[in-house]
Amino acid sequence: LQEANAYKSNFLTIVSHELRTPLTAIIAFADILLAAAPNDDTAAIAREVKDNARSLLSMINNVIDAAKLEAGRYQLHYASVDLVDLVLEVERVMHPLAERKGVRLSSLVEPDVPVIQSDPDALHKILANLVGNAVKFTDAPGRVRVHALRGADGATVVLEVGDTGI
C-alpha cells in the first residue's frame, strides 16, 4: 500500500510539473496580448485568460504540494513574515474575484501584530485558500473580512477569515 501511494504521489508530481510549462507559456502570451491589446474587449479577454491560467497554475501547485505532503517530502522554509504585507497581497489577488461576485472584501491587521516566523509561501497559500473559499461561497451583497490580531495569550497571532456566506 505504501509503495502504491508513493507511485501515485510521484505520478501526480510528474504530471503536475508537465502541466506547469504550457500554463506558464499561456500566462506569458496573455501578458504580450494584454500589452498590445488594440481595444478594451481584447484586453478584457487577455486578462480573463491570464487570471484563469494563474488560477489553474495555483491548483496544480496545490496538487504538487499535496503529493509532497503525502510522500513526507514537503519542507517548510521559515522566514520573517510581515502579516500586513501578506494580508494585503492576498487581498490584492482575491479582490477581482470578490468584485466580480459583488462581494465586499476587506482586511484589518491590528497595529500590535508583530512580524512572525513562518513559511511565507505556505502561509500565503493557506490564507488565499481560505479567502478564496469565503468569496466562492458568499453571494452578493455579502462580505468577506480578513483580520490579523494577537491571540488572547499575547504570545500568538490569529488570522481570521469571516464571511456572510453559507
Side-chain angles (χ1 to χ4, degrees):
L1 187 59
Q2 286 178 331
E3 190 175 320
N5 201 20
Y7 283 128
K8 178 190 76 168
S9 294
N10 286 336
F11 173 77
L12 286 175
T13 301
I14 290 167
V15 168
S16 297
H17 278 293
E18 291 301 317
L19 291 173
R20 287 175 55 155
T21 302
L23 270 174
T24 303
I26 290 169
I27 292 168
F29 287 131
D31 280 336
I32 292 167
L33 181 59
L34 193 56
N39 58 50
D40 289 344
D41 290 339
T42 303
I45 291 168
R47 267 192 298 281
E48 192 68 27
V49 168
K50 182 178 177 180
D51 289 348
N52 283 297
R54 278 192 167 165
S55 177
L56 189 53
L57 185 59
S58 176
M59 289 180 212
I60 289 169
N61 287 335
N62 288 342
V63 169
I64 292 170
D65 289 345
K68 285 179 182 176
L69 278 169
E70 277 189 20
R73 293 189 317 237
Y74 190 88
Q75 294 182 355
L76 295 175
H77 302 284
Y78 288 92
S80 294
V81 178
D82 184 339
L83 290 177
V84 171
D85 293 340
L86 176 78
V87 169
L88 288 176
E89 171 61 17
V90 169
E91 186 177 6
R92 184 189 66 76
V93 170
M94 293 296 167
H95 187 265
L97 176 63
E99 195 173 68
R100 276 195 295 261
K101 284 198 69 186
V103 173
R104 190 176 57 147
L105 175 60
S106 64
S107 63
L108 172 65
V109 177
E110 297 292 343
D112 64 339
V113 170
V115 171
I116 64 170
Q117 292 296 309
S118 183
D119 182 314
D121 293 333
L123 195 54
H124 185 278
K125 286 178 187 177
I126 292 166
L127 186 59
N129 190 307
L130 291 171
V131 173
N133 283 340
V135 169
K136 183 183 352 180
F137 294 108
T138 300
D139 294 323
R143 295 182 321 275
V144 173
R145 183 167 190 248
V146 180
H147 188 200
L149 64 152
R150 278 194 182 266
D153 62 3
T156 57
V157 173
V158 177
L159 272 172
E160 296 176 337
V161 177
D163 64 72
T164 58
I166 60 170

